[in-house]
Amino acid sequence: METSNLNIFFAEKFGCSGSLYFAPARINLIGEHTDYNNGFVMPGAVDKGITAEICANGLDIVRVYAMDMPAEQQYIEFAINQESKPNQHWACYIFGVCREMMKRGVEIKGFDAVFTGNIPAGSGMSSSAALENVFSVALNDIFADNKIDRFELAKIGQATEHNYCGVKCGIMDQFASLFGKKDCLIRLDCKTLEYEYFPFKPEGYRLTLINSCVKHSLGTEYNERRESCERVVEHISRNHSGVDSLREATIDMLLEVKAELDETDFSRAKYVIEETERVLTVCNSLKEGDYDTVGRMMFGTHWGLSKEYTVSCDELDFLASLAEEYGVKGSRVMGGGFGGCTINLIPESIHDAFVEKAVTLFSEKFGHKPEVYEIVIGEGARKL
Ligand code: GLA
């Protein structure tokens, strides 16, 4: 990412220069809403992300500019020992990271920072995890005597979401943005945090995001789904003491308690149990280069998310249906849902024609153009 504007802005505001850090956004091939159910996910980091310039200021306050925000919302400051959250939403991520690091014994001192990014807002690529990580990696570097490892940094980002931003998310986004590796997807077991890199350069295919530009922001509806899953686990575990998340549950176990469950909770849990299976199937298929199966699983995820987990929307369903019709191998809503992008595994031979068709038909139907991004899988968060 071009950093000269950032350097100029920082110098103008603070009269000096700081160190540069970058944290990427993420994609996820498959494994959606499985992370907070202790299941598997298959994300990767991308080349888009957030870059921050940071410097200790020798004071007891934190002063930050969000360069891409409108002028009146660009600046916040908070005292290091302040308990109350700042009043700009974006600043809560930084405030939360500081608090969570302090809880873990890091002596955070005052600092100045400016950050900028190129992650499309509300696209489901997790700009919030990138923001948490760019700060946690930098502050760890600058202030921690005993360095916190990357597993714990991921938990710091997740705890920030839970405790300061109102989203009871899983760990996928923070993990992917920290552990990303060029041209690799990461199979992550969200129960144990064991992970494996899967080289991903599918010969003859392109991985493309189509952004519906329906802005999503996660909150109540996301948290409600998590609660549904937890309620179902409670029921199943009465019969099966070994089950403490949907990861350990099977469809048979779910059917045993069907009569006790609300229909919505049942459908949501069914989706999650099946999705965990789909991730494992995709891992095996990738090893064999069997993209037909990978694609079929992606469509399976889409319609599960749409009909059972109900986190899709008309625009995303339209894009997935169109993809199915035009011979795209796999397509599905990516990330938390309620808007954002579809991720598409498109045969090279039909790529351009499909993308053109999708943009035209989508624009005709919904009155605005979707955006198209070719995915480049890159490295995780780092000092530049
Ligand atoms: C959001 C959350 C993640 C994960 C996905 C859905 O991105 O932050 O933890 O739950 O939604 O897979």
Side-chain angles (χ1 to χ4, degrees):
M1 192 196 281
E2 182 53 61
T3 55
S4 59
N5 286 345
L6 181 64
N7 299 143
I8 294 167
F9 193 98
F10 191 96
E12 261 173 34
K13 298 296 178 192
F14 299 116
C16 58
S17 68
S19 307
L20 287 171
Y21 292 85
F22 173 80
R26 62 107 188 85
I27 51 139
N28 185 26
L29 184 68
I30 197 152
E32 222 63 90
H33 291 275
T34 45
D35 59 352
Y36 53 84
N37 287 299
N38 276 348
F40 296 91
V41 290
M42 199 87 208
V46 293
D47 58 343
K48 296 187 197 310
I50 294 181
T51 307
E53 182 163 350
I54 306 190
C55 185
N57 62 17
L59 307 168
D60 289 331
I61 56 169
V62 172
R63 304 184 290 200
V64 188
Y65 285 90
M67 243 177 92
D68 309 326
M69 296 297 285
E72 65 284 4
Q73 295 164 31
Q74 242 178 16
Y75 179 71
I76 55 102
E77 59 178 50
F78 57 85
I80 277 299
N81 53 11
Q82 180 179 318
E83 301 275 336
S84 57
K85 291 196 295 190
N87 51 16
Q88 295 279 358
H89 185 65
W90 63 261
C92 294
Y93 296 100
I94 301 164
F95 179 78
V97 165
C98 291
R99 306 299 297 181
E100 290 297 328
M101 291 186 82
M102 284 152 81
K103 274 189 207 164
R104 289 161 177 81
V106 180
E107 232 191 284
I108 304 282
K109 303 203 179 75
F111 62 88
D112 295 333
V114 177
F115 70 91
T116 178
N118 58 0
I119 307 167
S123 62
M125 296 169 78
S126 206
S127 51
S128 62
L131 183 56
E132 289 143 18
N133 288 346
V134 80
F135 276 89
S136 70
V137 167
L139 298 177
N140 195 32
D141 219 22
I142 298 171
F143 294 118
D145 291 333
N146 300 314
K147 299 298 176 210
I148 295 181
D149 69 29
R150 289 204 164 208
F151 293 98
E152 197 59 31
L153 290 183
K155 290 180 191 163
I156 285 171
Q158 186 189 20
T160 296
E161 301 267 359
H162 286 206
N163 301 334
Y164 302 90
C165 308
V167 182
K168 299 286 180 196
C169 66
I171 201 156
M172 167 171 74
D173 303 350
Q174 291 76 12
F175 194 97
S177 167
L178 285 162
F179 286 80
K181 188 168 158 178
K182 193 169 168 30
D183 295 331
C184 287
L185 296 175
I186 313 165
R187 189 190 75 170
L188 172 66
D189 179 337
C190 298
K191 183 174 180 179
T192 59
L193 295 191
E194 278 167 358
Y195 66 103
E196 190 185 338
Y197 289 115
F198 274 66
F200 188 74
K201 275 205 143 183
E203 192 101 345
Y205 294 93
R206 299 253 291 268
L207 204 53
T208 305
L209 297 180
I210 303 185
N211 189 354
S212 66
C213 296
V214 175
K215 296 250 164 41
H216 93 310
S217 66
L218 298 181
T220 318
E221 290 178 303
Y222 179 93
N223 296 343
E224 279 168 10
R225 280 156 181 77
R226 183 175 184 145
E227 284 158 20
S228 282
C229 296
E230 287 166 359
R231 270 194 300 274
V232 174
V233 169
E234 240 176 74
H235 284 264
I236 295 181
S237 65
R238 287 182 203 145
N239 306 339
H240 301 274
S241 57
V243 173
D244 46 27
S245 67
L246 286 181
R247 152 73 174 278
E248 290 92 22
T250 62
I251 291 291
D252 285 344
M253 293 176 187
L254 178 65
L255 289 171
E256 281 169 21
V257 294
K258 184 169 184 192
E260 303 163 20
L261 297 176
D262 177 80
E263 233 176 86
T264 308
D265 285 358
F266 175 83
S267 305
R268 289 176 179 169
K270 175 171 171 289
Y271 161 79
V272 171
I273 295 171
E274 290 177 351
E275 180 72 351
T276 297
E277 274 301 307
R278 276 191 288 263
V279 182
L280 298 177
T281 306
V282 162
C283 292
N284 290 333
S285 310
L286 280 180
K287 285 182 176 155
E288 289 158 13
D290 171 8
Y291 293 108
D292 287 343
T293 305
V294 173
R296 216 175 49 248
M297 293 298 121
M298 289 171 75
F299 281 121
T301 300
H302 182 81
W303 296 114
L305 285 171
S306 174
K307 306 291 177 225
E308 295 177 321
Y309 220 64
T310 57
V311 295
S312 185
C313 59
D314 289 349
E315 288 83 348
L316 292 165
D317 285 351
F318 178 80
L319 287 171
S321 301
L322 205 66
E324 233 165 354
E325 207 179 300
Y326 278 80
V328 171
K329 273 290 141 179
S331 175
R332 64 176 199 79
V333 45
M334 188 186 76
F338 311 104
C341 297
T342 56
I343 180 167
N344 300 275
L345 182 64
I346 313 179
E348 197 84 61
S349 56
I350 63 163
H351 177 275
D352 294 357
F354 168 69
V355 166
E356 203 188 309
K357 199 83 198 164
V359 170
T360 309
L361 294 180
F362 185 99
S363 309
E364 274 169 27
K365 187 163 168 71
F366 296 106
H368 68 271
K369 257 182 139 178
E371 289 174 5
V372 178
Y373 322 119
E374 296 306 325
I375 294 171
V376 178
I377 303 178
E379 296 287 326
R382 58 195 179 270
K383 186 172 186 189
L384 296 179

